[in-house]
Every structure is written in C-alpha cells, then in structure tokens.
Amino acid sequence: MPKQGDQPAPKGPPPRLIDLWRSDPSETIAAFLPLKAIATMAVSRRFRDRHPTILFSVARRHGALAAGTGALLDAVVATGRDWSRFSSDSANDAWDTLSPALSEGRFTCTTNTSGGNRHIQIGTTVATGHGGGLVRMFDSADRLCLRRVKYRFSFSDPGAGSHGFAYFCLNDDGGLFVSRTSTGGYELKSFVQTEEEQFPPVEPDTWYDVDLTYDWTTALGNNTLWVDVVVKGEDEIKYRTRCSCEPLTAITLYNFGPGVARYTAIEVNYSKQTSRDRSF
C-alpha cells in the first residue's frame, strides 16, 4: 500500500519521442540540440511533418525569424515561383524601334510566318552597327535579375561581307550573336569572351533553340556572373560564358551588317533581386 503523500504511478505507456516532439516540450528539447542536428534529424514522415515548426520556433527564440522567413521565401523564388516573363513573337507594341547606330543604316522589322511558325524578322540592307532593330526597355530602379532566357533563331547571310547577325542582347554585354570565323564558317558567340571558350558552330537558314540560365550565387570577381548556355540544332551543345552583374535594363534584337535575323519562342524570365543574389 503506497504511503500517504506519494505520487501515484502514471497510467498507460510512457510517452514516445514523437509525442514529445509534437508537444510543448519540443522547443525545450530543440534548445539543447546543435543546429546541425536540428537541420538533419527529420528521419521519418512524422518527424518531417513537425520539422518546419521546430525550425521556425528555434529562429523565433534567437530573434532570427524575420531573416529566416525572408531567406526561405528567396529560396522559393529561385525555383521559378513569382518570376515575371516577357514573351513576344511579333514586331508589335511590345517592342520599340531601335534606331541604327550608324546614320546611313537601313533595316526593316516585320512579323512573318514560315512553316506555320510566327516569327520576328529583321532585314538589314545597309550596316546599322549596334542598333537598327527592336528594343524592350526595363527600369533599372526595379532591380530585376535575369533568371532564364529562351529563344529560337535563324539567320541568312546575303554574302555582303557582314560579320554580325541575329544579335540577341541583354543589357550591354549579355546575350549572344552570330559571327563569322576566320575559316568562313559561323559561330554563336557571347559578348564577354575568354580564350578558353569554344563557341558552337551554326549554319545559315537553320533554326536553333537557345537556353540561358543565370547563376547569381557564384562570385567571379570583376562584377561578373556565370551564364549556362544550351544550343540545340541537329546536335546539343552546352557551355558556360559570363556577363556583367547588373539589373535588367534592355532586350535588343538586330543585325550589325547586311543580313536577315529571325526570332521566335522568346521567353525572358526575371524577378526582383533577393538576398541570395549577388549585389549589383
């Protein structure tokens, strides 16, 4: 017979660890655990269901909830959620006319359909320099970061000795263009070039799909960032190039000299700068 004043023995089975993890003592338990252990201890579905709550309670306890929430949402943004997109396959009001850089330059911008595909066509008859086509402007004060750019293009060379076709420019030194090689062929080059880069060969009157992904998390120095490029024609070629680390201000389409450039399936994805991105 128990003595007077003794506490009665608890009835039922002892609490399981998952029961403690779900209840009020969970914050107390987490307070004694190393952060690395808290980050990796969700070993079962029941633990994983409770895991976000524990992480946020730890952040709140240490006054880091606002910063932690911001970092989490920035990571979600990096997956593509809430990206804005500019897309236009016709020479319409979505674009403004880009004047020639050379006063004597002559060009036309039209919307054509070939093989059932609508596309923008820029025909240059007299060299325009870095201009003479279409432009879409953005406000630098909005602090927009390019995320991913896709487009499809082809070009024609009338044989007038031109050295630049189908420019797809993003700001001053981002994007790609077709250039003649020393052997008389053509290659798709980037504006910021290094001796190590090998650019993919391209052919006139052939459609190519281009995919550029911008890496804002890796510091290269000299205010530049990596761009991963995929070019698909008959073959698929992948390589890395670089561009200046700056907010999106302009998309421009043009030929440097006489030639024809065609663009379709244009998709420029961008979003506001986040805490994960390098500073401008």
Side-chain angles (χ1 to χ4, degrees):
M1 182 174 182
K3 297 180 180 179
Q4 188 174 4
D6 287 350
Q7 294 294 325
K11 297 181 180 180
R16 299 170 299 171
L17 179 58
I18 187 61
D19 296 322
L20 295 175
W21 199 242
R22 287 172 173 167
S23 57
D24 292 339
S26 61
E27 292 192 29
T28 304
I29 296 171
F32 288 95
L33 295 174
L35 292 178
K36 185 177 181 180
I38 296 174
T40 59
M41 69 179 302
V43 294
S44 71
R45 183 183 60 80
R46 291 183 178 181
F47 275 92
R48 287 195 298 270
D49 290 345
R50 180 66 177 163
H51 199 212
T53 303
I54 299 301
L55 292 174
F56 275 92
S57 68
V58 171
R60 182 175 61 248
R61 175 185 288 262
H62 294 278
L65 183 59
T69 302
L72 175 62
L73 294 178
D74 286 347
V76 174
V77 168
T79 67
R81 172 161 177 167
D82 291 344
W83 283 0
S84 298
R85 183 178 71 173
F86 171 72
S87 179
S88 176
D89 297 333
S90 61
N92 56 21
D93 293 341
W95 300 91
D96 294 319
T97 299
L98 178 67
S99 300
L102 304 176
S103 58
E104 66 274 16
R106 298 290 183 270
F107 70 99
T108 60
C109 297
T110 58
T111 303
N112 292 6
T113 302
S114 176
N117 294 321
R118 187 174 67 171
H119 62 267
I120 296 169
Q121 181 165 306
I122 299 177
T124 306
T125 53
V126 179
T128 56
H130 290 294
L134 298 173
V135 59
R136 170 75 176 197
M137 300 299 297
F138 299 83
D139 190 345
S140 61
D142 290 337
R143 305 182 68 80
L144 302 175
C145 294
L146 283 164
R147 303 299 180 184
R148 189 173 185 181
V149 176
K150 298 180 181 181
Y151 69 98
R152 200 163 185 250
F153 83 96
S154 72
F155 71 99
S156 297
D157 181 359
S162 179
H163 284 268
F165 310 93
Y167 280 73
F168 193 104
C169 302
L170 301 149
N171 298 337
D172 292 330
D173 66 0
L176 306 171
F177 67 99
V178 175
S179 176
R180 278 184 176 271
T181 66
S182 58
T183 58
Y186 306 86
E187 60 186 2
L188 188 63
K189 301 181 73 172
S190 61
F191 284 83
V192 180
Q193 304 164 18
T194 63
E195 294 182 358
E196 304 84 40
E197 285 183 280
Q198 298 293 320
F199 298 109
V202 291
E203 296 292 337
D205 306 310
T206 303
W207 285 100
Y208 295 91
D209 292 290
V210 179
D211 189 336
L212 302 96
T213 302
Y214 292 77
D215 180 3
W216 287 88
T217 62
T218 305
L220 292 178
N222 299 321
N223 199 34
T224 57
L225 56 85
W226 283 119
V227 183
D228 293 306
V229 183
V230 180
V231 181
K232 294 181 182 179
E234 292 185 359
D235 301 313
E236 179 178 290
I237 298 176
K238 299 180 180 180
Y239 68 98
R240 295 194 105 187
T241 186
R242 60 192 73 193
C243 71
S244 294
C245 182
E246 58 186 12
L248 173 63
T249 56
I251 306 167
T252 51
L253 313 178
Y254 61 90
N255 297 300
F256 188 91
V260 177
R262 307 172 192 88
Y263 308 89
T264 189
I266 296 172
E267 184 179 308
V268 179
N269 295 282
Y270 56 90
S271 66
K272 286 187 176 293
Q273 187 181 42
T274 72
S275 62
R276 292 167 55 92
D277 300 322
R278 294 186 58 200
S279 59
F280 298 136

